[in-house]
Amino acid sequence: MARRRGGRAVGAEALRGRIERWRKAGRPGKRMPEELWGAAVELADDHGAYRIANELGLSYQALKQRTDEAARSRRRSERGQRRRAEFVEIDIGRALAHEAGEATEIEMMRGDGLRLRIRLGAREQLDLTAVTAAFVGSPR
């Protein structure tokens, strides 16, 4: 969390100056640029939307809506990254050893931490594709 200086959030004073310069440039009816809103949202994430809206002279409702949207977007992005992080690593040397008549152990782990360990005897066969699809697709 960012620190405060003299009762104000660090960075709020500089951003307030940028917002005031934009307002004084005389842009009636125009929306504040996304760059300024983005900076305000970052400060609100650290210090709270109510406080930052007051310090910057912004609408609390508008800032709160934008901070909520940014939080939802981050959560969606994190969920998508977790899904894309799935992979299957196969040790080819062990797979070839299994064909040569040795026992093999296969272990899988999902992104949520659930593990599956399979031990195959020297002559046992397994449809690895079907097992992997069932394991990855099954709910916990």
Side-chain angles (χ1 to χ4, degrees):
M1 184 179 273
R3 293 203 168 93
R4 296 170 16 160
R5 181 175 42 214
R8 286 195 180 252
V10 173
E13 195 169 326
L15 181 56
R16 183 174 176 93
R18 290 172 56 201
I19 292 170
E20 290 302 320
R21 283 191 297 280
W22 176 81
R23 285 178 176 154
K24 286 179 183 175
R27 295 180 174 90
K30 294 239 180 182
R31 293 178 182 244
M32 190 166 77
E34 288 301 317
E35 174 189 345
L36 297 176
W37 277 116
V41 167
E42 285 181 25
L43 284 173
D45 283 344
D46 289 340
H47 302 285
Y50 182 79
R51 177 178 175 193
I52 295 303
N54 282 335
E55 288 188 24
L56 300 180
L58 299 174
S59 159
Y60 165 76
Q61 293 297 331
L63 182 57
K64 179 69 172 147
Q65 180 180 359
R66 286 174 179 270
T67 57
D68 290 347
E69 288 171 2
R72 281 192 298 274
S73 178
R74 280 191 300 270
R75 284 192 300 271
R76 278 193 303 269
S77 176
E78 289 167 1
R79 280 194 305 264
Q81 287 174 354
R82 280 195 303 261
R83 276 190 226 118
R84 285 190 295 273
E86 296 172 359
F87 68 96
V88 176
E89 180 179 346
I90 299 176
D91 184 345
I92 298 299
R94 295 190 115 209
L96 294 174
H98 179 70
E99 289 178 11
E102 296 181 17
T104 298
E105 183 174 289
I106 299 169
E107 182 174 326
M108 294 182 218
M109 185 173 82
R110 291 193 329 198
D112 62 4
L114 185 64
R115 292 177 185 260
L116 171 66
R117 184 176 291 145
I118 302 170
R119 291 186 181 98
L120 298 173
R123 305 273 185 246
E124 293 177 294
Q125 297 292 318
L126 174 71
D127 182 352
L128 188 57
T129 305
V131 170
T132 302
F135 178 68
V136 171
S138 66
R140 186 170 198 180

